Amino acid sequence: METIQTNQSQWIASALNREHNSVVIDKLVKYDNEGRTHMLTDPVEIADEATNTFNRQFRKHNTKLQSMSTMWQNIYKRNTQNSEHLKSLSSPITVEEWNSMVRQLNMESAAGPSAIQYKMVKKFSYETNQFIITFINLTLELGIIPAGWKCSNIYPIPKPHKFNYEMVNTRPIALLDVIRKCATKIITSRISNALSEHQILEGLNFCGLKGEDTTTPLMTMNNIIEDAKANNKELWIMTQDMAKAFDSISMESLEMSLNRIGIPTTLKTWIINLYRNRSMRIITSYGLTKPFTAGDGVDQGDALSPLLWRIFYDPMLVAVQSQNDRDPGYHMSCTWPDNVNDPTTWTQYETSVPIMCYMDDTVFMDQN
């Protein structure tokens, strides 16, 4: 009973038989061309296998954007009305924004390659803060990213299934420069607030913006299932969980997605340059591996990444929601009586839900 009251996370993990596995890269399993397994124990071979695995994961993707259909060209067309709403996003960072961000820093967050921690940032003098704000504003104005901001140490953590000494069973968490993370926290807050205020994103995705959680999609899905049961209607549901979603974001597609919603050109350039051709080193039991260059993807461990995923994924959701050749999705309707005694005041409400998602977990729905 004491555990239930004082440590709910531990109690839930115990009740669900969850194992807290850690990743220790002191040996690795490698598969040869014939599918046979080999156990690697040599530090050099371990570093090579770890590097090759994540190098493939962050490889450059062939998007063939030059051959997009008319439908996709229309979806990716820049929204000039949004551009007016978002033009202030590239304005200089203020002292108030910086101080508000610093107050919310997590003191337990791990340091990046510079070894500077958030608790050190909280101790910066007024003059140091002023210098850093001026420096960040200069990078935003010019779109030039400091080399140190494009370097990260990758700390592999286990996926829900066991590690089993296979690098493909890990998730790459990027330990980044804390000044860069402070800058992206402010930019994330700005973009998130603007997208929420003006309701710019059209796809039914419920992550990445402030105040959103799984409550709405879960309630919507429950209502759809209950409606189908109550009215004896056919309902087809398909779920999709994308593997390595953040790692597969194409820089060219991301740039088009940012342009589509009207992100200012200078800020768009800053964001793309932040992630393009960044350098990564993997943490092993024998130290850091040699650096490799990521072709695509965004960093797990950066505040901006979940929001970028939502912006990147939104065109696909819009494409599904706006199919012109058919009326997609599951349909629901209800009659709402403004005055129960006067049927002329009753209003008929209808809606159709073809797709919903939370981050990269997607649900497709239809009636046949």
Side-chain angles (χ1 to χ4, degrees):
M1 181 61 67
E2 182 180 351
T3 300
I4 297 176
Q5 295 175 339
T6 60
N7 195 332
Q8 286 83 11
S9 298
Q10 180 182 341
W11 173 72
I12 292 173
S14 175
L16 298 177
N17 292 321
R18 291 177 178 170
E19 296 183 8
H20 292 277
N21 300 316
S22 60
V23 173
V24 179
I25 306 179
D26 56 356
K27 50 184 171 288
L28 287 176
V29 170
K30 180 180 180 180
Y31 292 87
D32 61 21
N33 294 332
E34 298 179 1
R36 295 174 299 191
T37 59
H38 301 271
M39 180 64 75
L40 305 179
T41 57
D42 180 73
V44 175
E45 293 180 341
I46 291 172
D48 289 342
E49 176 64 14
T51 299
N52 292 336
T53 299
F54 283 139
N55 203 5
R56 290 190 298 269
Q57 194 163 314
F58 289 99
R59 70 189 183 279
K60 191 68 182 172
H61 292 79
N62 185 10
T63 55
K64 299 182 180 179
L65 296 175
Q66 67 278 4
S67 57
M68 281 196 308
S69 67
T70 303
M71 180 197 77
W72 285 109
Q73 291 178 21
N74 290 333
I75 289 176
Y76 277 103
K77 187 177 297 182
R78 185 176 179 88
N79 188 314
T80 54
Q81 183 178 356
N82 290 344
S83 299
E84 287 298 312
H85 295 319
L86 303 182
K87 62 183 180 181
S88 62
L89 293 180
S90 57
S91 60
I93 290 174
T94 65
V95 175
E96 290 74 19
E97 285 181 300
W98 177 265
N99 291 338
S100 176
M101 177 274 303
V102 170
R103 285 193 295 269
Q104 301 175 47
L105 291 178
N106 178 12
M107 297 299 98
E108 303 300 322
S109 182
S114 68
I116 299 176
Q117 297 178 308
Y118 279 147
K119 57 186 175 183
M120 299 171 66
V121 175
K122 278 186 172 284
K123 300 295 184 181
F124 283 168
S125 66
Y126 173 82
E127 291 77 13
T128 302
N129 285 330
Q130 288 290 338
F131 175 81
I132 292 174
I133 293 171
T134 302
F135 179 75
I136 294 174
N137 285 333
L138 186 61
T139 71
L140 287 169
E141 179 182 353
L142 300 177
I144 298 175
I145 306 300
W149 288 13
K150 296 169 73 73
C151 298
S152 63
N153 295 337
I154 301 299
Y155 180 72
I157 64 171
K159 292 183 177 179
H161 40 274
K162 289 186 177 180
F163 170 43
N164 290 333
Y165 295 99
E166 298 182 43
M167 286 301 298
V168 293
N169 293 335
T170 65
R171 195 188 313 275
I173 301 300
L175 304 183
L176 302 159
D177 180 89
V178 295
I179 304 301
R180 167 234 166 104
K181 290 173 69 176
C182 288
T184 56
K185 283 178 182 292
I186 294 173
I187 296 301
T188 300
S189 179
R190 281 187 175 186
I191 298 177
S192 176
N193 291 336
L195 296 183
S196 296
E197 179 182 355
H198 301 289
Q199 299 182 345
I200 289 174
L201 298 177
E202 304 171 58
L204 294 179
N205 198 341
F206 300 91
C207 74
L209 301 182
K210 289 183 178 180
E212 293 185 331
D213 55 31
T214 58
T215 303
T216 300
L218 289 176
M219 290 183 62
T220 303
M221 178 57 65
N222 183 69
N223 289 338
I224 289 173
I225 294 173
E226 292 298 324
D227 182 82
K229 288 180 179 180
N231 296 287
N232 197 27
K233 294 161 64 176
E234 189 173 351
L235 170 62
W236 291 80
I237 298 175
M238 183 184 76
T239 60
Q240 172 185 277
D241 181 13
M242 276 178 279
K244 304 175 177 63
F246 281 18
D247 309 336
S248 62
I249 294 179
S250 157
M251 288 297 101
E252 289 75 20
S253 299
L254 177 60
E255 186 170 10
M256 291 175 58
S257 300
L258 292 168
N259 182 72
R260 165 182 173 264
I261 63 173
I263 296 293
T265 301
T266 53
L267 181 57
K268 178 187 67 176
T269 301
W270 186 86
I271 292 173
I272 295 300
N273 287 342
L274 189 66
Y275 293 99
R276 177 172 282 154
N277 297 326
R278 62 200 191 281
S279 177
M280 297 178 165
R281 304 175 75 185
I282 305 165
I283 300 172
T284 73
S285 296
Y286 306 102
L288 294 171
T289 66
K290 293 180 180 179
F292 68 94
T293 301
D296 272 330
V298 296
D299 298 309
Q300 296 189 50
D302 192 347
L304 187 56
S305 295
L307 182 56
L308 292 181
W309 166 259
R310 176 158 182 185
I311 294 171
F312 169 79
Y313 201 33
D314 194 63
M316 196 283 288
L317 301 180
V318 170
V320 174
Q321 293 169 188
S322 59
Q323 297 180 58
N324 295 322
D325 58 335
R326 58 189 299 272
D327 192 10
Y330 182 82
H331 303 276
M332 291 189 297
S333 63
C334 73
T335 301
W336 186 261
D338 294 327
N339 184 344
V340 294
N341 298 317
D342 183 5
T344 61
T345 66
W346 296 3
T347 305
Q348 182 79 9
Y349 293 96
E350 296 185 3
T351 189
S352 178
V353 184
I355 186 172
M356 289 192 307
C357 57
Y358 185 84
M359 196 63 72
D360 59 327
D361 295 322
T362 308
V363 179
F364 298 85
M365 288 156 288
D366 215 327
Q367 295 188 184
N368 52 57

